[in-house]
Amino acid sequence: QKREISNFDYLMYLNTLAGRSYNDYMQYPVFPWVLADYHSETLNLTNPHTFRDLSKPMGAQTVERKHKFIQRFNEVEKSEGDLSAQCHYCTHYSSAIIVASYLVRIEPFTQTFCSLQGGSFDVADRMFHSVKSTWESASRDNMSDVRELIPEFFYLPEFLTNANHFELGCMQDGTVLGDVQLPPWADGDPHKFILLHRQALESDYVSAHLHRWIDLIFGHKQQGSAAVEAVNTYHPYFYGDKMDLNNIKDPLIKSTILGFISNFGQIPKQV
């Protein structure tokens, strides 16, 4: 509020308090999508419509998609008596594979991604290749994609270029995967993309609304009734503090839960 610390530094501080770390792909620092405009020739940071709605999780960015997730929540089979699996999202906004897929063009993340994929790159059409199409997938098109961003989107232009010339494959439309496709306002320049993206994060609009996103990820809308109301509940396994693995005697169930968490991600500690 006093402008003595940047939004970036504040988010990194919150991530650290919540147990997130660069040293753990499964609990990597999580940052928000801040923009919704990846199609304009110039980026207008004075227009509220340029920005993502920070008061809503990625699954509720459009009214249609929000209602689909609410419907999923309400349709969970209640007759079994166990409502613990009632949730809006069965996938997570941050996981080892999401982190590695964003950073796949630079080592050691290339090797990490391949090992998570069983030794090779993913199908080209599923690889991170375009900022615009990734936003559209996570905010609108794909019901199993609610991913947020990682800190590198605000300071590291190198992850957007295929400087190591990895053969990432060819998409169905014939496009050969190389550098990440950037929005028109970046003029094909990764440095300009990072500069403008960081300016967006530090803009007056984001400064005035960032606390709403923090409530969803780190605060009171992270779990409980406030999370249900905000369309912000995830599979129970994602809430690490709720799962007391010491009390689970069945080794198969325990290993299944641990595998689920390691593959799909964890909710940060509530700050």
Side-chain angles (χ1 to χ4, degrees):
Q1 288 179 327
K2 294 179 180 177
R3 296 292 196 267
E4 292 174 2
I5 184 173
S6 67
N7 289 337
F8 182 92
D9 288 337
Y10 186 55
L11 285 172
M12 282 305 300
Y13 180 67
L14 284 176
N15 269 286
T16 303
L17 280 179
R20 313 297 283 193
S21 166
Y22 282 119
N23 298 322
D24 186 349
Y25 294 163
M26 290 180 284
Q27 297 196 71
Y28 208 77
V30 55
F31 268 59
W33 287 95
V34 292
L35 293 173
D37 182 356
Y38 296 97
H39 54 270
S40 298
E41 293 295 327
T42 56
L43 194 62
N44 182 359
L45 296 180
T46 62
N47 182 356
H49 295 294
T50 298
F51 297 91
R52 166 255 180 106
D53 187 341
L54 287 158
S55 69
K56 295 183 175 69
M58 289 303 291
Q61 289 298 306
T62 67
V63 175
E64 181 186 1
R65 192 156 117 125
K66 175 184 173 182
H67 287 316
K68 284 182 182 176
F69 281 120
I70 292 173
Q71 186 179 1
R72 172 191 286 177
F73 182 89
N74 292 332
E75 283 177 354
V76 168
E77 186 57 58
K78 298 177 183 179
S79 60
E80 294 168 17
D82 179 12
L83 298 183
S84 63
Q86 191 172 33
C87 62
H88 295 107
Y89 314 115
C90 297
T91 53
H92 200 252
Y93 49 76
S94 175
S95 67
I97 195 67
I98 289 172
V99 172
S101 69
Y102 280 144
L103 300 173
V104 70
R105 288 164 178 79
I106 52 175
E107 292 286 18
F109 301 97
T110 311
Q111 295 303 316
T112 301
F113 183 84
C114 288
S115 65
L116 288 169
Q117 282 289 337
S120 61
F121 291 119
D122 198 0
V123 176
D125 287 82
R126 289 203 298 256
M127 296 278 284
F128 171 54
H129 65 277
S130 158
V131 178
K132 178 175 180 281
S133 65
T134 302
W135 159 255
E136 289 172 349
S137 170
S139 66
R140 189 187 71 199
D141 296 340
N142 187 344
M143 289 292 283
S144 61
D145 183 3
V146 291
R147 78 184 81 177
E148 292 279 6
L149 297 183
I150 53 175
E152 284 82 353
F153 272 85
F154 300 95
Y155 69 81
L156 189 72
E158 286 78 11
F159 87 96
L160 297 165
T161 61
N162 187 21
N164 292 322
H165 306 294
F166 291 119
E167 293 186 7
L168 302 172
C170 185
M171 296 172 64
Q172 285 184 344
D173 63 4
T175 305
V176 177
L177 258 59
D179 298 346
V180 176
Q181 294 171 12
L182 302 174
W185 45 258
D187 295 327
D189 181 352
H191 289 82
K192 185 173 182 180
F193 172 82
I194 295 292
L195 176 70
L196 291 174
H197 206 215
R198 183 65 173 265
Q199 285 178 1
L201 178 64
E202 305 299 340
S203 67
D204 289 339
Y205 179 90
V206 172
S207 295
H209 295 86
L210 188 58
H211 63 285
R212 299 184 182 278
W213 182 82
I214 290 168
D215 287 342
L216 295 168
I217 307 299
F218 303 107
H220 77 288
K221 291 184 179 177
Q222 184 199 76
Q223 47 189 279
S225 58
V228 175
E229 197 174 323
V231 195
N232 192 43
T233 65
Y234 296 81
H235 194 283
Y237 289 172
F238 295 146
Y239 297 86
D241 54 346
K242 285 184 180 176
M243 298 302 303
D244 188 358
L245 291 172
N246 294 325
N247 286 336
I248 298 174
K249 299 291 184 263
D250 188 327
L252 185 61
I253 294 175
K254 184 183 274 191
S255 66
T256 301
I257 293 172
L258 285 171
F260 193 94
I261 293 167
S262 65
N263 282 321
F264 293 106
Q266 281 175 275
I267 302 285
K269 289 177 187 167
Q270 198 167 23
V271 178

